[in-house]
Amino acid sequence: MEGALVARDKVGIQDFVLLDETTETAFMENLKKRFDKDLIYTYIGALVVSVNPYKDLDIYNSNQMDLYMGVNFFELPPHIFALADTVYHAMMLELNNHFILISGESGAGKTEASKKILQYYAACSPETDLLTSVRDKMLMSNPVLEAFGNAKTLKNDNSSRFGKYMDIQFNSEGEALGGHILNYLLEKSRVVHQNHGERNFHIFYQLVEGGEEDLLHQLGLERDCLYYNYLTQGECAIMSSINDKNDWKTVKNALKVIEVSESDRTDLFGVVASVLHLGNVEFDPDSRGNASLDNNTELRWVSTLLGVNAQTLQEGLTYRKIRAQQDQVLSPFNIDHAIYVRDALAKAMYGRTFTWLVRQINESMENKDDTMKMVIGLLDIYGFEVFYVNSFEQFCINYCNEKLQQLFIQLTLKSEQEEYEAEGIEWEAVQFFNNKIICDLVEERHRGIISILDEECLRPGDATDLTFLERLEEKMGDHPHFVTHRLADITTRKTLDRGDFRLLHYAGEVTYCVVGKRDRHTQHTERVRPSQQHTGRERPSHSKYRERERPVQVATQFKSSLLKLTESLLAKDAWYVRCLKSNESKKPGVLDEALVRHQVKYLGLMEHLRVRRAGFAYRRRYEVFLQRYKALCPATWPHWLGLPMDGVQVLVQHLGYMPYEYKMGRTKIFIRHPKTLYATEDAFERCKHELGERKMCCYKAKGELKKRKENGERCHPRRSQARKEVERRDWAVKVIKKFINGFINRGDARSTDNSEYLAFVRQSYLNRLKLKLPQTVLDKTTWLTPPSVCQEASELLRKVYYRLMVRKYVRGISQQKKGQLQMKVVTSAIFKGKKDSYPQSITRSFLDTRIVNGHLVNLHSSQTYSVPVVKYDRKGFKPRPRQILLTTSAAYLVEEAKIKQRVLYTSLKGPLSVSAALFQGDLVFQCDHLFEFLTKLSMLANKQNAFQVVKGSITIEIQSGKQGAVDFTTGPEPLVYKDKNGHLMVVRHPPPHTPYPLKSG
């Protein structure tokens, strides 16, 4: 805090507690001011706020570690090393347990923060052979857990897809004895499905890209990620920013360090390979439409790698076992159900393997010393997030954040109140949002959402996702933080689908989709039992199986483990790191204020600031306060011989503190307003200058006297030289004094006192601006913030510079790119803001043909565009592969080289309605490149304004006088099928490329 007082004019306030106004606007202004100077850490009392800069900063080297070791928390600028050092020394001094809660959304830097803390403890602990071993295992557990538990997402190339709590155990000498890891809610659904632009867990790509040839041959794998269905759904299997080959070497070395045996490593990679093979298992329909597997190579590899009988595995994937008293009946699966069971098996195998791997790491780091030990815990947990579609996993993650927010407020209020009571100062109540009502809504017995979900999953009869929603409405229909489509008012009902419910969390409203929650809530037990090939030792894929009469409920297990975690944390002293993501595009130097403001809200930073202030901005022990400011009072300078408390009382009375501005505790002084402290600090700065000038005068007088004496004893040339030296030093003193006066008066109008200093400021700003000019036309935020004296010139320079960059950019656009941009403008006019998948089309170039293989009809030079489609018959909606060719006058539907149908552009009458991917009419077909096709069609037919986006259901003409319909809905995976009511049902999640009819005349 003392450092914050000195540096406040240069880089904002280093501690938010010292803000004059505890408003969100003041908070954001201070945060941005520091971020623009690459100062990514700021305090709220003892809480560290960290902003991800998306670039490397040289602030984590060994010199920085040495600088922060054993130093007072507020003595140096904010840093995560300062927090780590303070926690370590508090543990050693008080001999109790502590934990550091690291929170924030994906991409905010939580994993990196935990790494830096681990590295600091590895460096600061005493050097012993045991420490070296434990330190290496703790540090090398990170690449292993990242390989098996992290993945590339839209927000982060190395996003943790599980929650992690790690205990670091120390003895009374401060030596690291061991560690223990608890993992929470691994995102197993990622194993079988990834959104566009995302990848599966890193280990799959590392094995395929970096694995040795012998190993791949032994596992039956191809060195091609595109060969495996589970690795290609995000369409970004190969990433230039991720080096899978090097990461594979790191993971293999880390597995050796954490003492995973060679045979276990072989079994571990066998499970990973079996998941890839399982994803490539495809089912064929038999004569009755049921799923069948005949002579499947991938299935044989799975059975070999897992040690499972191939016939047993095949039956488990294609039949359901129904027990009828003493008999078993096999009920065949259809293809959709078989695919679901296959994916469930893959997820269960990977989840058990991850649990086994964490257990192996814990056994490797296990503390072998039974003497007294203390613990520092690191909790790297999921951040509160809101997506377009929020699934069951997101419900559990946000529930976890509710519990941690409740714990956060509870511990913060408790520590603040205890300090006030210990100092004998009256506690002033702080208003805050108590989210216990939301936690009870989720976890209350017999009435909470999780309990109702348990009942619906175990209830016999025809229980569905919608019956679960009806039970929720029945149980908590009058709850102020719960609403559904049926319970909402007219305005809110427009924003809710019939299968959604909405919770008002502490951080805002979140809408959850109930579709698939029952399936994901129930853990399906494996239908296949692997053989035990090693007696007495459990292989990674060989968990101990036992028959269960009832399925295990995932959310109930998660709730129980979360309650145990909070009980454990309540027994420790809490410290916090709040991580903020500066922007969504991962650009260095860019701070998206709207994004950061939202994170500040749901991380509860303003509530923590108000609790921390509690009426007093500054508190410090009497000895520290007196030592810093004693020079301001003649009675306390240079030495105070009485009690520190009495000295502080004399000092504040001399400074003119009013009674309402401060309170005197038993060991500390409490100052209410920052402006009071700033006035004291400003007086201290002026006092330091005066003391410095006095010392300079004394030094000057002594030097002159000494030189005169020397000159008198020497010859005249020496006397002349000495006189010149005296004059040079006099000149130097005047220059330094003038510079100091200019700095003090820098905010005044230009005068003789500050003119040279202001000239120096202008020159310094222009030199720094030259090195930090924006590199792109779209970069509007990195322009160097000017001092007040340069604001007008800076604005003129900025306009001139951006005009120059715009001119260069325009001149550099090729004719081909110009044509692409013109098509993108048409696409934007038709779809922007109306189609959920529209933003994904922006970065893709439009092509003139999408047909690589197959026979094309020859339409000579009039053909301008071609694309493969799936055409659905009007009667029965049977899918048929076709091609569409666009010419300058008409669209042709082609089967191989035969023209099946021609649609003249003049016969297309608007408006043509589009719903999710649908033109209203009598020609129904599916196209994987919707935006490209419709843009080409609209430009060729000159009907850019003829498209109208609608939702819900579209009626089409089947025959004269008869009509059919295409219905749209959402679900856990995209499907297109004919429904029982005769309609064509299109299920999308997330919004896929869906079939659409086109009216031909």
Side-chain angles (χ1 to χ4, degrees):
M1 189 172 289
E2 281 69 24
L5 294 172
V6 175
R8 69 183 187 277
D9 292 329
K10 300 178 183 178
V11 288
I13 305 299
Q14 294 181 355
D15 192 335
F16 286 113
V17 173
L18 294 179
L19 288 174
D20 286 329
E21 299 179 357
T22 55
T23 62
E24 190 173 299
T25 301
F27 188 99
M28 289 299 302
E29 289 177 353
N30 186 63
L31 192 71
K32 187 177 188 309
K33 183 184 294 184
R34 293 181 56 76
F35 179 81
D36 290 341
K37 298 291 185 179
D38 288 338
L39 299 173
I40 64 172
Y41 294 114
T42 312
Y43 293 147
I44 305 179
L47 179 146
V48 177
V49 179
S50 171
V51 185
N52 193 339
Y54 291 112
K55 61 181 177 181
D56 293 330
L57 300 177
D58 189 23
I59 58 174
Y60 303 108
N61 51 51
S62 57
N63 293 333
Q64 287 286 324
M65 291 185 183
D66 295 338
L67 183 65
Y68 280 89
M69 285 185 185
V71 178
N72 181 275
F73 185 72
F74 294 109
E75 187 173 336
L76 295 175
H79 201 291
I80 198 168
F81 288 162
L83 177 71
D85 184 78
T86 301
V87 175
Y88 179 78
H89 285 91
M91 176 194 70
M92 296 300 300
L93 179 64
E94 302 168 4
L95 298 179
N96 61 353
N97 299 327
H98 298 255
F99 78 92
I100 303 174
L101 173 59
I102 306 172
S103 58
E105 71 173 58
S106 179
K110 302 188 298 298
T111 302
E112 286 299 315
S114 62
K115 286 182 185 178
K116 300 306 178 187
I117 294 174
L118 271 178
Q119 292 171 4
Y120 184 85
Y121 288 144
C124 73
S125 299
E127 188 72 26
T128 64
D129 293 340
L130 175 62
L131 167 67
T132 302
S133 175
V134 172
R135 176 181 59 193
D136 291 344
K137 291 174 182 177
M138 284 193 301
L139 295 178
M140 296 309 290
S141 67
N142 272 323
V144 175
L145 291 175
E146 287 181 3
F148 284 84
N150 289 21
K152 192 268 180 192
T153 66
L154 294 176
K155 298 184 177 182
N156 186 3
D157 287 349
N158 188 33
S159 176
S160 297
R161 309 317 299 162
F162 69 104
K164 180 178 71 174
Y165 175 74
M166 181 177 187
D167 271 337
I168 310 171
Q169 300 164 350
F170 300 86
N171 62 12
S172 58
E173 301 299 324
E175 299 173 350
L177 301 177
H180 187 82
I181 297 173
L182 296 175
N183 63 291
Y184 299 94
L185 199 66
L186 177 70
E187 188 187 25
K188 292 182 290 187
S189 60
R190 181 169 295 273
V191 175
V192 300
H193 173 75
Q194 307 92 43
N195 294 326
H196 181 78
E198 298 191 351
R199 300 206 316 173
N200 207 326
F201 293 103
H202 294 322
I203 187 61
F204 294 108
Y205 306 92
Q206 293 171 2
L207 175 59
V208 173
E209 292 293 328
E212 297 76 9
E213 292 294 341
D214 292 342
L215 178 61
L216 295 182
H217 179 73
Q218 178 184 349
L219 300 176
L221 296 178
E222 302 288 338
R223 194 180 294 282
D224 184 5
C225 292
L226 301 180
Y227 181 76
Y228 299 102
N229 295 332
Y230 282 166
L231 304 185
T232 58
Q233 298 177 47
E235 298 183 3
C236 61
I238 306 301
M239 294 288 298
S240 60
S241 60
I242 301 176
N243 193 327
D244 293 312
K245 293 183 179 179
N246 289 346
D247 292 342
W248 167 256
K249 297 177 182 178
T250 303
V251 170
K252 285 196 67 177
N253 179 59
L255 288 171
K256 295 178 182 178
V257 173
I258 62 177
E259 300 176 352
V260 177
S261 66
E262 184 176 356
S263 61
D264 278 348
R265 293 199 299 271
T266 302
D267 293 341
L268 181 63
F269 300 145
V271 174
V272 176
S274 66
V275 171
L276 293 179
H277 286 300
L278 196 60
N280 281 6
V281 171
E282 295 182 353
F283 301 93
D284 297 318
D286 60 12
S287 58
R288 298 183 178 182
N290 297 320
S292 66
L293 283 171
D294 296 325
N295 195 25
N296 191 293
T297 303
E298 301 288 356
L299 188 66
R300 290 199 302 273
W301 272 111
V302 175
S303 65
T304 301
L305 293 172
L306 296 181
V308 182
N309 180 272
Q311 183 64 31
T312 304
L313 180 60
Q314 179 176 342
E315 288 182 0
L317 293 175
T318 55
Y319 291 93
R320 176 191 291 110
K321 290 183 180 180
I322 301 175
R323 294 183 182 275
Q325 296 180 354
Q326 302 299 323
D327 299 327
Q328 281 190 355
V329 179
L330 295 180
S331 175
F333 291 146
N334 59 35
I335 291 182
D336 290 340
H337 202 161
I339 292 174
Y340 175 80
V341 172
R342 179 200 66 186
D343 292 346
L345 177 59
K347 291 187 289 185
M349 287 166 50
Y350 193 83
R352 288 176 179 268
T353 302
F354 187 78
T355 302
W356 175 88
L357 187 60
V358 173
R359 186 165 63 249
Q360 289 294 109
I361 295 174
N362 287 334
E363 291 176 359
S364 174
M365 297 190 302
E366 183 181 3
N367 174 28
K368 305 298 191 299
D369 190 350
D370 294 332
T371 60
M372 180 187 68
K373 63 178 181 292
M374 297 163 294
V375 165
I376 294 178
L378 292 179
L379 182 58
D380 177 1
I381 204 69
Y382 341 83
F384 185 98
E385 293 180 333
V386 183
F387 296 103
Y388 179 76
V389 177
N390 297 283
S391 61
F392 171 71
E393 286 88 354
Q394 199 61 36
F395 170 77
C396 292
I397 288 172
N398 289 347
Y399 161 57
C400 174
N401 277 268
E402 285 288 355
K403 291 294 293 183
L404 292 177
Q405 176 70 6
Q406 185 184 32
L407 177 69
F408 172 67
I409 293 295
Q410 181 180 351
L411 292 178
T412 303
L413 284 173
K414 178 183 177 183
S415 61
E416 288 294 307
Q417 190 168 0
E418 286 177 350
E419 180 177 13
Y420 277 62
E421 292 175 354
E423 293 295 325
I425 295 177
E426 183 179 355
W427 167 256
E428 299 181 9
V430 179
Q431 296 297 326
F432 67 95
F433 174 63
N434 187 350
N435 64 334
K436 182 179 184 299
I437 185 174
I438 303 175
C439 294
D440 291 343
L441 174 65
V442 176
E443 66 186 13
E444 188 177 5
R445 294 186 62 184
H446 307 303
R447 287 183 54 84
I449 294 175
I450 293 178
S451 295
I452 297 174
L453 187 55
D454 284 348
E455 294 174 3
E456 282 298 296
C457 289
L458 299 177
R459 180 169 66 87
D462 189 16
T464 65
D465 296 322
L466 295 180
T467 60
F468 163 61
L469 185 61
E470 292 173 359
R471 288 279 293 162
L472 289 180
E473 292 173 338
E474 178 184 341
K475 287 282 188 178
M476 51 193 65
D478 57 348
H479 198 285
H481 292 269
F482 175 87
V483 67
T484 64
H485 183 275
R486 186 175 67 83
L487 300 175
D489 54 37
I490 297 177
T491 303
T492 307
R493 189 173 296 170
K494 296 178 181 179
T495 64
L496 279 171
D497 291 338
R498 296 186 181 276
D500 293 346
F501 68 89
R502 180 173 296 167
L503 297 184
L504 178 57
H505 289 277
Y506 75 92
E509 294 180 344
V510 183
T511 302
Y512 299 100
C513 177
V514 302
V515 177
K517 272 191 167 48
R518 292 177 62 256
D519 291 336
R520 297 184 185 183
H521 182 56
T522 303
Q523 270 188 349
H524 292 271
T525 57
E526 286 78 348
R527 304 172 183 276
V528 184
R529 296 172 182 245
S531 63
Q532 285 286 358
Q533 297 182 0
H534 298 278
T535 304
R537 180 171 60 82
E538 181 184 4
R539 302 177 65 190
S541 62
H542 299 175
S543 297
K544 293 184 171 89
Y545 292 81
R546 59 188 179 90
E547 297 293 334
R548 292 190 179 98
E549 296 180 359
R550 300 160 72 172
V552 179
Q553 309 306 322
V554 177
T556 304
Q557 287 186 341
F558 182 67
K559 181 182 76 171
S560 301
S561 61
L562 190 57
L563 291 175
K564 292 179 182 178
L565 173 65
T566 54
E567 290 176 1
S568 175
L569 296 182
L570 284 171
K572 300 179 177 67
D573 290 343
W575 305 79
Y576 306 97
V577 178
R578 294 293 199 237
C579 299
L580 303 175
K581 183 164 59 175
S582 55
N583 62 82
E584 292 283 9
S585 55
K586 307 172 189 174
K587 291 183 178 179
V590 178
L591 189 135
D592 185 340
E593 292 194 28
L595 176 67
V596 175
R597 192 183 298 270
H598 180 62
Q599 295 172 80
V600 167
K601 176 182 178 182
Y602 69 63
L603 286 174
L605 296 185
M606 296 307 300
E607 285 81 357
H608 183 81
L609 175 58
R610 284 189 281 268
V611 170
R612 181 62 178 79
R613 280 285 288 264
F616 294 96
Y618 178 90
R619 61 201 72 176
R620 192 61 79 237
R621 295 186 66 85
Y622 292 129
E623 297 86 349
V624 177
F625 188 85
L626 183 61
Q627 179 64 29
R628 182 172 182 83
Y629 298 116
K630 63 181 180 180
L632 299 179
C633 176
T636 57
W637 175 261
H639 301 292
W640 174 259
L641 301 179
L643 295 174
M645 181 177 181
D646 297 334
V648 171
Q649 186 70 57
V650 171
L651 175 59
V652 297
Q653 289 179 356
H654 175 77
L655 293 174
Y657 282 18
M658 301 302 292
Y660 64 86
E661 291 182 313
Y662 72 101
K663 292 286 186 182
M664 302 290 289
R666 294 188 177 94
T667 63
K668 298 179 182 179
I669 179 174
F670 290 72
I671 297 178
R672 187 175 298 276
H673 304 296
K675 62 181 181 180
T676 305
L677 185 62
Y678 291 154
T680 305
E681 186 65 23
D682 291 339
F684 177 58
E685 291 296 317
R686 291 192 296 270
C687 180
K688 284 199 300 184
H689 288 303
E690 293 175 0
L691 292 175
E693 290 178 358
R694 292 177 191 173
K695 192 171 183 179
M696 178 70 74
C697 291
C698 293
Y699 176 79
K700 177 183 174 182
K702 289 180 180 179
E704 288 180 351
L705 181 61
K706 182 179 180 180
K707 289 179 180 179
R708 287 176 182 175
K709 184 177 180 181
E710 292 175 352
N711 290 338
E713 295 175 353
R714 298 178 182 178
C715 59
H716 292 291
R718 294 291 183 89
R719 182 183 302 172
S720 175
Q721 185 178 0
R723 188 180 299 112
K724 291 180 181 180
E725 180 67 13
V726 170
E727 291 174 354
R728 189 183 68 82
R729 294 197 177 190
D730 288 342
W731 173 84
V733 170
K734 291 179 182 178
V735 170
I736 294 173
K737 186 175 181 180
K738 194 169 186 178
F739 186 88
I740 293 174
N741 288 335
F743 175 80
I744 294 174
N745 300 300
R746 64 191 182 283
D748 300 336
R750 183 174 179 178
S751 63
T752 55
D753 290 332
N754 62 10
S755 59
E756 292 186 8
Y757 179 82
L758 294 180
F760 167 79
V761 169
R762 286 193 292 270
Q763 181 180 0
S764 176
Y765 172 72
L766 292 176
N767 289 334
R768 288 185 289 113
L769 179 63
K770 179 177 65 175
L771 300 175
K772 294 186 177 181
L773 288 171
Q775 300 301 313
T776 65
V777 177
L778 299 179
D779 186 357
K780 302 294 185 180
T781 59
T782 58
W783 187 265
L784 197 63
T785 303
S788 57
V789 69
C790 298
Q791 286 183 351
E792 184 177 357
S794 173
E795 183 62 22
L796 292 174
L797 287 172
R798 188 184 66 81
K799 292 180 179 179
V800 171
Y801 181 76
Y802 275 104
R803 287 182 64 185
L804 176 62
M805 286 203 298
V806 169
R807 185 179 182 185
K808 289 181 178 179
Y809 178 81
V810 172
R811 287 185 173 182
I813 297 178
S814 64
Q815 288 297 325
Q816 182 180 3
K817 187 174 182 181
K818 183 178 179 181
Q820 284 283 331
L821 291 176
Q822 289 173 342
M823 284 191 286
K824 295 289 185 178
V825 169
V826 174
T827 309
S828 174
I830 299 174
F831 295 105
K832 186 175 182 181
K834 304 173 184 177
K835 278 282 294 171
D836 297 329
S837 56
Y838 165 73
Q840 300 174 5
S841 70
I842 295 174
T843 57
R844 302 178 182 175
S845 299
F846 287 174
L847 305 180
D848 291 331
T849 179
R850 291 286 178 177
I851 300 176
V852 178
N853 300 318
H855 300 287
L856 291 177
V857 65
N858 184 12
L859 297 177
H860 305 291
S861 59
S862 62
Q863 178 178 328
T864 62
Y865 179 72
S866 53
V867 65
V869 299
V870 177
K871 187 243 185 189
Y872 291 87
D873 291 344
R874 286 173 289 172
K875 184 176 182 180
F877 296 115
K878 184 174 181 179
R880 301 182 185 278
R882 296 288 188 270
Q883 301 167 4
I884 279 192
L885 306 180
L886 299 183
T887 68
T888 55
S889 60
Y892 293 83
L893 188 66
V894 178
E895 180 182 8
E896 295 184 350
K898 299 178 181 179
I899 298 177
K900 304 295 291 185
Q901 189 172 350
R902 183 180 71 166
V903 180
L904 294 175
Y905 296 149
T906 55
S907 65
L908 294 177
K909 300 178 181 179
L912 302 177
S913 301
V914 181
S915 176
L918 203 70
F919 274 98
Q920 185 173 4
D922 57 0
L923 179 58
V924 184
F925 60 94
Q926 175 183 348
C927 179
D928 289 337
H929 305 279
L930 175 65
F931 299 100
E932 181 181 271
F933 167 75
L934 293 182
T935 301
K936 297 276 188 179
L937 176 63
S938 65
M939 296 180 69
L940 290 171
N942 194 22
K943 294 181 180 293
Q944 288 89 339
N945 299 323
F947 296 92
Q948 179 181 358
V949 176
V950 298
K951 296 183 179 180
S953 177
I954 288 183
T955 302
I956 62 174
E957 184 177 350
I958 297 178
Q959 295 177 354
S960 178
K962 294 185 179 181
Q963 291 185 337
V966 181
D967 297 334
F968 293 88
T969 183
T970 57
E973 56 186 11
L975 293 172
V976 180
Y977 61 92
K978 183 178 180 182
D979 203 2
K980 295 179 180 179
N981 57 8
H983 295 182
L984 180 63
M985 181 63 66
V986 181
V987 183
R988 59 188 182 96
H989 173 68
H993 299 296
T994 53
Y996 59 91
L998 172 65
K999 188 166 185 176
S1000 59

